[in-house]
Structure formats: structure tokens, C-alpha cells
Amino acid sequence: MAKVKNWQLGREMDFPYPEHRPKKQIAYVFDTNKCIACQTCTMACKTTWTVGKGQEYVFWNNVESKPWGYYPLGWDVKVLELLGQQKWDGDKYAGKTIFEAAPKGEPALGYAPEDLDYASPNLGEDECKDVIKGTEDHYIKGPVHSNWGFYLARICNHCTYPACVAACPRKAIYKRDEDGIVLVDQSRCRGYRECVKACPYKKPYYNNTTRVSEKCIACYPKVENSEMPQCVTTCIGKIRLQGFKSHPDKIRKNNPMDYLIHVRKIALPLYAQLGTEPNVYYIPPMHVDPKYLKQMFGPGAEKAVQMYRNAGQDKELLAALLLFGSTEKRIEAFKIKGEMTVGYDKDGKEIVSVPLTEPAIVRPAKVEQSGAYLYNNT
Amino acid sequence: MNIIKTLSLTAVFVLSVVSVSFAAGNVLTSKAITGAIPSSPADKVWETTASVEMDLLPQIVAVPSIGTATISKARVWSVNNGTEIAFKLEWFDSTRDEALNMPDKYSDACAIQFPLKDSDKPNLAMGEKDKPVYIVHWKAAWEKDTAMGYQDVEHAYPNYNVDGYPLVKTVENKAVYPVNSFSDEAKAFMAGIAAKNPVSNTDRRVPVEELNAEGFGTLTSQSSQDANGKGIWDYAYWKVVITRKLMTDDTADTVLSKERTSIISFAVWDGSKGNIGARKNIYEGEWLNLKIE
């Protein structure tokens, strides 16, 4: 095991390979507050990449309703239970990662899902309170909590320290140096499913027909062409933005990714304590138990929620957030120009501009000419 | 009653005569026979050939490993006719695991390994750099593929339904299932097949595969496949025969010849215990000597 720096944990950790950060690192920001679980992203991904035989149960992208929805069933609670109770010491993680807690002879702490775990995508959908009583006739037993829930959209995290890469005995999985995208070599994989077992997010899938493992490819043909992936550009709720993030020591403030992740710290990694340094970042939901948010998004969750509540009065933050869903092209830099937020491509060319405030037109309820009242005038 | 007694006594007698346990320095002798090489584990020739019993240990050199052996003993036989050689392996396994078409299923399997070059004594664990090994691998799943056709989604989940697959014909609005009937354009949607990955071979003719390796993680299927095999699951015992020519035209195959002692090693997997890849049982830590009569 090598010692590598994991900035999300604020400390060094063990990993089978020495630290090697790619020239560029793909990153995403998902705003959970705007997601309505319409699954348009899921279907966009499915119809683009996983329509083949053997992929019937495969969802590289899925949206699950938390706290009780999962795909595969119970993926996060199972991993957290295996890991046991761990602690944050301020911004520094004081517990063990899946690599540090790996049993002897195992590359990481993990488990292999059963096929029935994949049988019901998002079992527990929209169940947020009353159906969960912890009694015999309910499939989930757990604490009854106050009425909250939210939608968690999930894809491969293209981790800096991928558990799938750590676990593959054939080195058939690799992280591309040019953009940090993690890919399975389809000609070298022998279907051992070590990646499926080790990935705590359960994002590699075994193909029942080709008998090899597959995973999200970050729509690399689009990314190479300066476009954002299918799940990002098809999102009708405009909850997603994809870009490249810098190392925390070399941030560029006008890069929307760096700004949201490193400058404002409003976008947080999912279960950072597992130690893979995931690169999909989430703006946490506003109306969820802070303890739950801390477990899922780390110690900065509550602060991020407060910041988000105030976004309307925070011009620069608003400027970054309004870029979401505004264009299919990747925005490498942004700037406020008057009352507009403007996005630029890698050559510095303007590709999009969005008003910071939409013009509001108030129509009087009574139409003077006719004397009639409008009941639906929005 | 008397007949049964007589038969069982005979069986004990035969076993005690022809079986020896392997210990360090022991030799597996490939018995010279005349005529065709046995292609089946049920062939009569095995009854008159000495076997040796091997103690197996869990593979613990590389990660991932297994903590305890899932198969602790196996028995091996060998015969040759001067042109071809056959090995028979037999081990107890109460579960017949031959599915690779479900996400949580693994196949029972076995393998034999030789140094590629006669002068080498490479690391037993899949060889080492510049000291490659040659491996013949049998899988129960491949046995089923060759006997009953490629085992696919419709075999694992017979009641599943699908609207269709891209560029695949439908008959009465139902997808045509056999993947071998798919056009090349349709197969392009199945990445492992499109990438010509040997494990995605949907038209497998033999249940064995020849491979080479130069250390863990380097296992590579050969472009020229010359070995054959046959496995049967008989009252909770897997009985597997692996055959090949003593000498082939393939430079990636180990050359075996009469009147010469080679070294050999074995591995066994139990699918229902999650054994796959390096999660396997191997002969206890040494190369075995193989004498070809």
C-alpha cells in the first residue's frame, strides 16, 4: 500500500498505487434540490449506452429516492454497516476508509450484490416516512423519522482513487491521464467482478451476455468534443453541470467546477469517508436531517445548505448556479457581465449568457378594456 | 447384498492398489497407452491407471485471495499415446456451478499449468517476467455452453421480457434471443463481443482455453487453441479430462515429450463459494514432477 493524499479527508490514506493525478479531472456538480426523479437522465444513458443484450438490469445512471431508495438494494447502508461507525474530527476524517479497513487478502472492504438486489430499481421510491414502521410487514426496518426525503442522482464518480482500479487483478481498468475518466478495457476484462465487489457505489455492472464488467464511460466521445455527457445535457430540471476540476492547490476561481467545489465548498463529495475521492459533487438538499447529510456529504453539509438558502442574494454564487442546463457545450470559465452570467469555452469564446434575474411581468388581475378578471394569469 | 459387498470390497482393493498420495518430490506418471487417447472421464482406461491425490491450499500469494481452501483435495491421472496426452482431474464438490450468465454466479473450474520453457522453473503463481507459463483452463460454464449452446440471459431468466435490442429482428414483436443469430451491427452493442474478448465468445466449441501468463494479472488467451476437454458432474464429483498434443506447432504451447520429466501444477475453483480468478485452490506450494512414459 502506498500513502496518498486525499484532500476530501484532509489527510493521507492507504491506496494500492502511488498518487498520480491526471492532467485534467472530470467532475460533475449535481444540485439535489432541483431533482424531481423524472429519470430522464437514466433513460438518456440507458438508450445511449446500455440497450444491448446482457445489460437489461444495468443502469450506469440511476436516480434513487433517499433515505429508503437504492440501486442496487441497500448499497450504501451495506457498505456503511461493513465499515462500522467512524468519525470526523472537524474537517479531517478520523475513521478508516474502505482501503484501510480491507480484510486480509482483499483489495478493499466491499461486498458482491446478489442478483435480486438489482431486481427492483429504486425499491423504496418516495417512501419517506409513514410506510417505514420497522414492523414485520415492511421490507425495510429502521428508525421512523420526520417527514423528509430527496432524490439522489448517481453515476460513476470517476474517482481519483478508484476502488475498481485498486481491485482489478488484471489491471483491466484504467484512469485516463487526459481527463481522469475511468474505463474498463473490454478486451482484457475476464469477468471476475472484483470491481463490482470493491466499488462502494456499486457502479460497475456485470454483463450477463458478454460475461465481462462494464461501467459509465462519462460519454467520452462527447467530452472529447467539448460537450457534456448525455445525463447532463438531457436533464430537464437543469440540476447538472460537468467540467474539469483542478487540484485544491491550483484552483482557478472562474472555473465553475473549482468555484462551486473548492472556493465556495457548496458542492460536496458523496460518502467521502469511503476514501475513493469521488468526483461527482452534490449540493445537499435543504430540508433533510443535518445528521443524515453529514453522514452522506461530510462535515461541510450544513454550511452548504445555509449558503444555498442564501443563493438569491449571493450574486456570484447565483452566476455559477445559473449555468446549469444552459448549454450542451462544456463551460470552462464564467464571468458576470452586468446582469448576466456568461460562460466561455476552452478557447475563451463566449458560448452562453444567462440573465441573473428573469424579467418578471405582473399582469393586473382585472383587464381594464373588458372589465373581466383573469383567474389564471401566471 | 452379497453382490454389493463384493463390489465395494473390489472398489477398495482397486483404489488401494493404484492410488498414492503426493508428497514433495513425488511424480505423476503419464502412463503409456496404445490407441486413441481417452476423451471422456468415464473411459475405462482410467480404471487401470494409477492416480495420485493432491492436498490443495488456498491461494494467498496475491490479492485477492481466499482465507481457507474451498476444495481441499483433488485426484489426478495421466495417460499418453506418444502423440497426445490426457489428464484427468477429480474432486468433490456438492454444488454444480456452471452459470456465468448471472451477476452473482461463478463457475466451477480447474486448470493445469506448465512452464513454457523446459529449462525454467518459474514462480508457481502464474509464472514471472521472462519465465512464462502455459495454462489449460476448463470451466463448467464452458462445458454447458458447448453441450447446450451459449448460456445467456434467457437461460438464466426464462420468463424475462424485453421489447427488443438495437438492430435485432423481432418476430411478432418479440426479440429473437439467440445471440449467435445477431448481425455484426447488432453485436456492436455488446462491447465484450465487439472487442473480441475471448471470454465473450458466444460460439465456443471446446470447454477449455489455452493461455499464457508472466505473473499475476498477465493471463492472456492464446490466438491458437489446440487443447480439448470434457467434464462431467457425477454424484457430487467433478471429473474432468483435458487433452492436447504432446507437441504442437504453437510456440506458445509447452512442448511435452516422452522419456522426459516435466513439471506441472494444478488449480481448482468452487463457483458457489465465490471462487474466480485468483480466488482459487492450488496444489500445496511446489511444482510437481511429471514423467511421461
Side-chain angles (χ1 to χ4, degrees):
Chain A
M1 286 275 188
K3 285 278 178 205
V4 296
K5 181 76 197 294
N6 184 325
W7 67 267
Q8 294 175 353
L9 305 183
R11 67 169 174 87
E12 286 193 326
M13 63 160 209
D14 295 335
F15 189 68
Y17 299 105
E19 182 169 348
H20 177 77
R21 289 178 185 271
K23 290 190 188 99
K24 285 198 290 184
Q25 175 60 59
I26 193 166
Y28 301 72
V29 175
F30 292 180
D31 183 351
T32 59
N33 294 288
K34 288 166 39 178
C35 180
I36 56 166
C38 66
Q39 309 284 359
T40 307
C41 49
T42 307
M43 293 318 293
C45 175
K46 184 81 187 155
T47 52
T48 307
W49 299 117
T50 61
V51 278
K53 200 175 188 199
Q55 297 176 312
E56 293 79 5
Y57 77 102
V58 172
F59 288 102
W60 288 352
N61 180 107
N62 76 295
V63 184
E64 53 201 44
S65 53
K66 287 298 182 196
W68 305 116
Y70 314 93
Y71 193 71
L73 188 66
W75 66 272
D76 55 348
V77 290
K78 284 181 184 172
V79 171
L80 292 172
E81 193 172 16
L82 281 172
L83 196 59
Q85 197 170 1
Q86 307 288 331
K87 278 190 175 171
W88 286 90
D89 181 9
D91 286 342
K92 189 176 172 183
Y93 181 54
K96 284 188 169 179
T97 67
I98 57 164
F99 304 112
E100 292 159 348
K104 196 167 180 282
E106 296 290 330
L109 183 73
Y111 76 98
E114 295 174 18
D115 73 335
L116 282 179
D117 292 343
Y118 295 110
S120 306
N122 206 15
L123 188 65
E125 184 168 15
D126 289 343
E127 293 175 1
C128 61
K129 185 190 171 192
D130 287 341
V131 293
I132 312 295
K133 301 286 191 197
T135 52
E136 285 301 314
D137 53 337
H138 293 104
Y139 79 95
I140 295 171
K141 292 176 188 173
V144 177
H145 59 77
S146 58
N147 207 352
W148 55 263
F150 68 102
Y151 300 116
L152 184 71
R154 303 204 306 118
I155 58 170
C156 166
N157 286 289
H158 297 280
C159 305
T160 306
Y161 303 114
C164 57
V165 169
C168 181
R170 294 180 57 69
K171 298 184 179 71
I173 310 182
Y174 59 103
K175 189 169 174 67
R176 301 209 303 189
D177 206 30
E178 61 267 42
D179 50 21
I181 292 173
V182 177
L183 297 173
V184 181
D185 182 339
Q186 290 294 299
S187 63
R188 267 196 69 70
C189 173
R190 281 186 72 86
Y192 297 159
R193 288 159 270 179
E194 296 295 342
C195 52
V196 181
K197 197 172 182 181
C199 172
Y201 304 98
K202 295 291 168 256
K203 276 299 168 189
Y205 293 83
Y206 180 71
N207 184 311
N208 290 324
T209 295
T210 65
R211 301 177 182 176
V212 293
S213 297
E214 301 170 343
K215 61 175 287 302
C216 160
I217 59 170
C219 292
Y220 69 80
K222 287 188 84 181
V223 168
E224 286 170 3
N225 202 28
S226 297
E227 289 181 9
M228 293 188 281
Q230 291 290 75
C231 62
V232 176
T233 57
T234 58
C235 177
I236 60 162
K238 303 184 176 187
I239 82 149
R240 301 185 183 209
L241 193 68
Q242 179 265 320
F244 294 110
K245 69 171 273 305
S246 314
H247 188 268
D249 298 339
K250 296 172 188 163
I251 53 171
R252 189 164 51 81
K253 204 185 156 192
N254 66 349
N255 172 355
M257 290 290 125
D258 286 357
Y259 182 76
L260 293 167
I261 297 162
H262 293 308
V263 178
R264 303 305 301 267
K265 299 182 171 59
I266 193 173
L268 305 167
L270 177 67
Y271 295 121
Q273 65 268 40
L274 302 173
T276 64
E277 212 183 287
N279 287 304
V280 177
Y281 296 82
Y282 293 85
I283 299 175
M286 290 192 289
H287 46 270
V288 169
D289 186 335
K291 281 188 205 159
Y292 186 87
L293 289 185
K294 187 180 177 187
Q295 176 180 257
M296 186 171 268
F297 299 112
E302 214 169 340
K303 212 171 153 187
V305 167
Q306 291 306 323
M307 204 185 304
Y308 192 78
R309 283 186 198 280
N310 193 43
Q313 283 71 51
D314 191 332
K315 201 171 173 183
E316 207 170 32
L317 179 60
L318 197 61
L321 294 176
L322 286 171
L323 298 171
F324 285 51
S326 64
T327 173
E328 290 208 358
K329 294 284 178 191
R330 188 169 52 251
I331 301 167
E332 304 278 351
F334 77 108
K335 190 163 78 177
I336 297 174
K337 263 190 183 175
E339 288 307 306
M340 305 288 274
T341 175
V342 183
Y344 302 89
D345 69 7
K346 62 181 190 306
D347 302 320
K349 194 180 136 206
E350 181 177 323
I351 47 174
V352 68
S353 64
V354 185
L356 290 173
T357 311
E358 290 281 348
I361 297 163
V362 180
R363 294 185 207 161
K366 188 180 177 184
V367 181
E368 290 300 333
Q369 295 94 317
S370 62
Y373 285 90
L374 299 174
Y375 292 100
N376 182 3
N377 63 348
T378 53
Chain B
M1 187 66 180
N2 282 339
I3 292 169
I4 292 169
K5 202 180 240 177
T6 312
L7 281 175
S8 60
L9 279 172
T10 311
V12 168
F13 176 74
V14 169
L15 281 174
S16 65
V17 167
V18 299
S19 107
V20 280
S21 282
F22 259 135
N26 261 354
V27 176
L28 169 64
T29 303
S30 183
K31 183 182 160 187
I33 60 167
T34 52
I37 209 78
S39 57
S40 164
D43 196 291
K44 291 257 186 259
V45 73
W46 302 114
E47 293 173 14
T48 54
T49 304
S51 69
V52 283
E53 189 178 62
M54 300 181 288
D55 287 329
L56 302 175
L57 291 176
Q59 186 290 115
I60 53 165
V61 178
V63 174
S65 61
I66 50 174
T68 52
T70 54
I71 304 285
S72 57
K73 284 188 188 301
R75 189 170 286 280
V76 60
W77 292 253
S78 180
V79 294
N80 77 91
N81 64 5
T83 312
E84 289 177 284
I85 189 164
F87 297 92
K88 177 183 169 184
L89 275 98
E90 181 179 307
W91 68 94
F92 176 77
D93 183 350
S94 59
T95 53
R96 182 177 182 171
D97 310 311
E98 45 193 5
L100 282 175
N101 49 350
M102 295 167 82
D104 58 348
K105 294 286 185 289
Y106 304 90
S107 177
D108 293 333
C110 68
I112 56 177
Q113 174 182 272
F114 304 89
L116 181 58
K117 288 177 247 166
D118 206 29
S119 53
D120 282 350
K121 196 171 186 182
N123 192 326
L124 190 68
M126 311 290 287
E128 57 194 290
K129 183 87 181 127
D130 298 326
K131 287 187 178 179
V133 291
Y134 160 83
I135 291 165
V136 189
H137 193 15
W138 171 90
K139 279 190 184 184
W142 296 340
E143 189 72 51
K144 196 168 180 181
D145 285 341
T146 50
M148 303 179 75
Y150 192 69
Q151 297 298 294
D152 206 343
V153 182
E154 61 271 25
H155 303 100
Y157 304 97
N159 296 318
Y160 98 115
N161 187 43
V162 64
D163 295 336
Y165 299 109
L167 307 179
V168 171
K169 284 179 196 160
T170 54
V171 175
E172 293 173 357
N173 291 327
K174 285 209 156 195
V176 177
Y177 284 142
V179 70
N180 280 337
S181 70
F182 288 15
S183 64
D184 287 345
E185 289 79 13
K187 283 180 179 173
F189 285 85
M190 288 171 280
I193 294 171
K196 301 202 176 349
N197 189 322
V199 304
S200 306
N201 180 4
T202 59
D203 194 23
R204 195 173 285 280
R205 302 297 167 92
V206 292
V208 296
E209 186 181 15
E210 287 183 304
L211 308 110
N212 293 101
E214 283 188 305
F216 271 109
T218 64
L219 189 67
T220 305
S221 185
Q222 289 189 1
S223 53
S224 167
Q225 294 288 328
D226 308 305
N228 207 335
K230 172 78 189 165
I232 54 172
W233 193 76
D234 185 22
Y235 293 98
Y237 278 87
W238 273 115
K239 298 173 179 178
V240 178
V241 164
I242 292 171
T243 62
R244 52 152 282 186
K245 284 183 179 165
L246 287 167
M247 271 184 278
T248 68
D249 295 336
D250 189 350
T251 53
D253 292 351
T254 300
V255 174
L256 299 169
S257 64
K258 280 193 160 213
E259 309 302 339
R260 170 161 155 186
T261 300
S262 304
I263 53 176
I264 187 168
S265 181
F266 300 90
V268 180
W269 290 259
D270 183 355
S272 60
K273 302 273 171 53
N275 290 178
I276 193 162
R279 298 179 194 271
K280 64 189 171 189
N281 306 280
I282 55 171
Y283 175 66
E284 51 176 324
E286 270 295 322
W287 286 95
L288 307 167
N289 292 315
L290 170 69
K291 187 173 185 304
I292 301 170
E293 282 184 350

